[in-house]
Amino acid sequence: MGLVEDKALVEAALFVAGRALSLKELSKALGIKSLDYLEKLIELIAAEYAERKSAIEVVRVLGDKYVMQVKQEYSQMVAHLMPKPDLRTGELKTLALIAYLQPIEQSKLIKLRGSQAYEHIKRLLEMGLIYAEPYERTKILGTTQKFAELYGFPENDPLIIKEAFKKVVHAEYSDLIAKMEKQQEEKNVE
């Protein structure tokens, strides 16, 4: 394929994914071996969107990942049109805890929610609602821009999100929150 076709293929992949994709993921999925070439294609696509002042942008996130998304200044105006994800009760509870406690170590979340949370985390990652970054022998979890847009937040600001989820989490996990806050206080005293 030529440059135009390769660029169109990358653009299509970013569009249908609905989440951030790494260069390696794109390379494997599209059969484009050169990561440098792939990165140049993405930069060309991003520049074209920027040049025509589109409501859509292609941006680099989380290191070497790229995402196609609605620009922040438009996302609030169209957020109500976004389809809500079909999440089961357990997945919603896990997502609420991640939103409230972010950034949270996966190992701590599993202690709070039990081993079924591994499946919840996997699904939430696939949906692009959370991120997971390696940290020591576990992962750090937090919400993504897609989560923020989907749930009507102006940006993916953990402080704003935490405050919004405070009532939900405290009602569901009041005993757990009290225990965690006590542990944190004890840690701060040491």
Side-chain angles (χ1 to χ4, degrees):
M1 281 200 242
L3 177 67
V4 173
E5 294 85 5
D6 287 347
K7 197 169 58 156
L9 185 60
V10 171
E11 183 178 23
L14 290 170
F15 177 79
V16 299
R19 63 178 178 86
L21 296 172
S22 70
L23 289 173
K24 288 180 183 176
E25 284 178 288
L26 281 166
S27 173
K28 185 176 178 185
L30 304 177
I32 298 174
K33 302 290 184 227
S34 170
L35 298 183
D36 288 338
Y37 176 64
L38 195 52
E39 195 165 27
K40 295 290 183 218
L41 291 173
I42 294 168
E43 288 170 4
L44 284 171
I45 295 165
E48 288 174 5
Y49 278 97
E51 186 178 309
R52 67 177 189 242
K53 301 199 184 332
S54 173
I56 306 297
E57 64 184 352
V58 177
V59 293
R60 186 180 191 138
V61 294
L62 301 172
D64 82 330
K65 292 187 176 192
Y66 292 88
V67 65
M68 179 180 283
Q69 63 187 19
V70 175
K71 285 183 180 173
Q72 186 150 350
E73 61 262 33
Y74 300 105
S75 65
Q76 283 301 99
M77 293 182 262
V78 297
H80 65 284
L81 298 172
M82 292 178 68
K84 298 286 185 220
D86 187 23
L87 294 172
R88 296 183 294 260
T89 303
E91 293 165 341
L92 279 171
K93 287 180 178 182
T94 299
L95 181 58
L97 271 177
I98 292 169
Y100 180 68
L101 298 171
Q102 69 179 306
I104 182 171
E105 293 175 19
Q106 179 174 292
S107 56
K108 288 182 181 175
L109 183 68
I110 299 303
K111 285 179 186 173
L112 298 173
R113 294 283 300 134
S115 62
Q116 77 276 6
Y118 283 114
E119 284 302 313
H120 302 166
I121 292 166
K122 181 179 177 189
R123 180 124 194 278
L124 296 169
L125 282 166
E126 288 170 356
M127 296 175 80
L129 298 176
I130 64 169
Y131 67 85
E133 295 177 349
Y135 175 74
E136 294 177 359
R137 294 176 57 192
T138 186
K139 294 178 183 172
I140 295 290
L141 306 174
T143 59
T144 62
Q145 184 61 34
K146 182 176 180 180
F147 167 89
E149 289 172 7
L150 196 60
Y151 289 98
F153 292 99
E155 58 186 296
N156 190 34
D157 182 336
L159 295 176
I160 295 170
I161 293 169
K162 182 175 184 161
E163 191 58 37
F165 275 82
K166 189 174 191 173
K167 290 178 186 169
V168 175
V169 172
H170 276 266
E172 183 71 31
Y173 299 103
S174 57
D175 55 333
L176 188 64
I177 297 301
K179 182 180 174 184
M180 287 175 54
E181 287 173 350
K182 185 179 178 185
Q183 287 175 347
Q184 187 62 40
E185 286 173 16
E186 289 170 358
K187 206 181 230 184
N188 290 341
V189 172
E190 293 174 0

